[in-house]
Every structure is written in structure tokens, then in C-alpha cells.
Amino acid sequence: MRSTSNRSSSPTFVLVHGSGSSSFMWASVQRELALLGHRSFAVDLPGHGLDAQYPLTYQAPQDLDAWAVEPSTLAGVTLRHNVDAVADVVRRLAEHGPVVLVAASLGGLTISGVGNAIPDLVSRLVYISAWSCVRRANPIEYMQEPEFAGNLMGPLAAFNVGDPAQLGVGRANYRTADAELLAALKAATMADVSDERFRAFLNILQPDESIAVMTADARVDAGTWGTIARTYIRLTGDRSLPVAMQDRLIAEADALTPGNPYDVHTLDTSHAGFVFRAGEVAAILDKVALQQGRKGIAGRVSPAPDRAGRAAGRGRGD
């Protein structure tokens, strides 16, 4: 039986959602973590969750022409806003013991930023098929690379409503009844689950996501982020962030901080399908907790010197 006598030595998992999502996506993972005796805190990034915007024009019957020009409450939200919000949570939770940051997909940019900003308060970073930018500034730049070719996102442009340049957000009509378009979205994000489960997940998504977050310079810093222990959970069935790109992100980070490589795990599931494999995800996080219990929060890894003998700094693109 797991000991609970030293509560402060057990980490709190802070769970950060991806694009168009919210804390709701972590419900099944949180249940499984609780059954293993772990504390967790699922964050709603600014403008997400119960603060999300669902205009009348998005309801049924939809008025897509009016919705296409509806101002978005997320238009002014930047990556810095997201990082600051999560950093505030980390500071408060760190008073009660170690903190492990866990992110999915676009949420990787946020936990990378928190790692850059307050590395001494983060015990470990866990990326679940999430973006951790090293040689390129952001996901948009990485999407031009050959490792991204296996994605199935092309047809999903038909979900878009309005002009992102004018709105400041990408706006997706997840309430469409277009069967072919929904099938394309399922293939790209949750091909390994039933149609019923896919639609259930679809109904917790929100339509807008800030362009400023996706295009910010989100590169990690070897001297701060690079000193934090980190884990990557590869998803081999991912056709949104293909496994070839996941492997590139892992390799780039490991090359940046060779003395502090990723601890890598693999699940045979899709980009968002892992939420229906919550028991397996929680089991990996349970192993992470045991690792942290043995190591404690102390013991930062020193950044590796570059060829000029200086501590390696932020990874920069070519």
C-alpha cells in the first residue's frame, strides 16, 4: 500500500490543456491519478474553460456569416499571459511540495515558458505529444519541416470560420454536421476511438484559439528550462503532431542539454485519444512521482558548455 505519511514529498501534477480545449479534457486522467493517491490541478488557460466564448451565432441554428466577424475574447491573449497564469499556480502549489507540469499538444509552449521563467519551482516537465520548441521558434515554423508531413490536418482548414488575420484567432466550427469533415477531424485527432467517444470529446472543445500564442517565440532555454528533469510521452498513432516530429523535438532538446535527456515513454494512441487511455497515462505519471520521490526537488542539472566554453543558452533556429 502506498505510504501517505510524507505528503510534502509527493508531487502535485499541474495539467495544462492544448488548443481549443480546457481543464475538462483532464477529468479522466485526474480520476485515475486520484485512485493512485496523487494530487492534481487542471488549469484553464486565460479565456478557456468556463471563461470561453460561445456567441449566439455559434449556437443552433448557426449564423456563420455573423460569427465570422464576431470579435474574439482571445484575440489579445498571448503566450506570456498563459505562462504567467500557470506560473502563478505553480508558485502557490510549490508551498505544499514538488510540482510536476504536464502538458498536451499546444500546452507544451506554456510549460516550456514556465520552465524558462521559474525553473527552481518545477520538479519535472512532462510533454504528452506536446510542442517543445528548440531550433524553431513555434509550431507554425515546425509545420513547414519534413517530419510534419505525416499529419492529416490539411482537410481541417474547411473548419475555419472568418479571417484569422482580422480576428486574431483561429476559429473552428466544431458544431458542423458535415459528416466528411468530422471524419477528417477524427482521423487526424482520435482515429482509435469510437465515433460516440469522438463526438463526446468534440463537445468539450471551444472554437477560438489565439494566433499570438501559436506564433510566439517559444524556444526553450538551456540554462533554465534545460536544468529541469523532463519526460516525453510519445503517441505513435498521432496524425496531428506526427511521431516523426515528436522524435525530432525529443532529439533537439536532448542535443541542447545532453546531460539531461528526456525520459521517454510510448503509447499506441492518437493525438487526443490518450484521454481515453487515462489509466495508462496515470501509470506513467505514477512512475514519474516515484522518480521524484527518490530524487526530491533538489539537484538541478548544470547546463552543458558550448564550443566557446560558455553555458549553452537558448536554442536558436538556423
Side-chain angles (χ1 to χ4, degrees), residues 61-145:
Q62 292 185 307
D63 185 343
L64 296 183
D65 290 336
W67 187 39
V69 296
E70 180 94 29
S72 176
T73 55
L74 278 175
V77 172
T78 67
L79 179 58
R80 174 51 55 191
H81 289 120
N82 288 353
V83 169
D84 288 347
V86 175
D88 182 61
V89 170
V90 170
R91 289 187 184 98
R92 295 175 66 182
L93 289 173
E95 296 178 7
H96 308 291
V99 175
V100 173
L101 281 175
V102 183
S105 192
L106 193 67
L109 304 188
T110 296
I111 69 168
S112 292
V114 176
N116 282 341
I118 51 170
D120 290 342
L121 296 183
V122 180
S123 185
R124 182 175 287 265
L125 298 161
V126 180
Y127 294 79
I128 305 179
S129 190
W131 292 100
S132 61
C133 302
V134 179
R135 295 182 62 82
R136 300 288 180 256
N138 53 55
I140 303 302
E141 291 188 8
Y142 275 106
M143 288 176 186
Q144 316 309 312
E145 300 292 307

Side-chain angles (χ1 to χ4, degrees), residues 134-135 230 245-257 262:
V134 179
R135 295 182 62 82
R230 59 180 186 262
M245 180 57 78
Q246 297 171 51
D247 288 341
R248 172 171 168 173
L249 298 176
I250 293 167
E252 287 185 357
D254 288 354
L256 181 69
T257 58
Y262 273 111

Side-chain angles (χ1 to χ4, degrees), residues 2 9-11 13 38 98-100 123-127 228-233 260-265 281-300:
R2 186 185 306 279
S9 69
S10 178
F13 293 99
H38 295 299
V99 175
V100 173
S123 185
R124 182 175 287 265
L125 298 161
V126 180
Y127 294 79
I228 306 169
R230 59 180 186 262
T231 295
Y232 204 102
I233 303 178
N260 183 29
Y262 273 111
D263 167 42
V264 180
H265 300 262
V281 174
I284 293 173
L285 296 180
D286 185 54
K287 292 178 182 177
V288 165
L290 292 174
Q291 288 176 308
Q292 295 308 124
R294 289 193 294 267
K295 292 171 61 177
I297 196 167
R300 290 278 173 250

Side-chain angles (χ1 to χ4, degrees), residues 200-216:
F201 184 80
L202 197 65
N203 275 280
I204 68 168
L205 298 183
Q206 61 186 74
D208 289 0
E209 187 56 68
S210 170
I211 295 296
V213 171
M214 291 183 268
T215 57

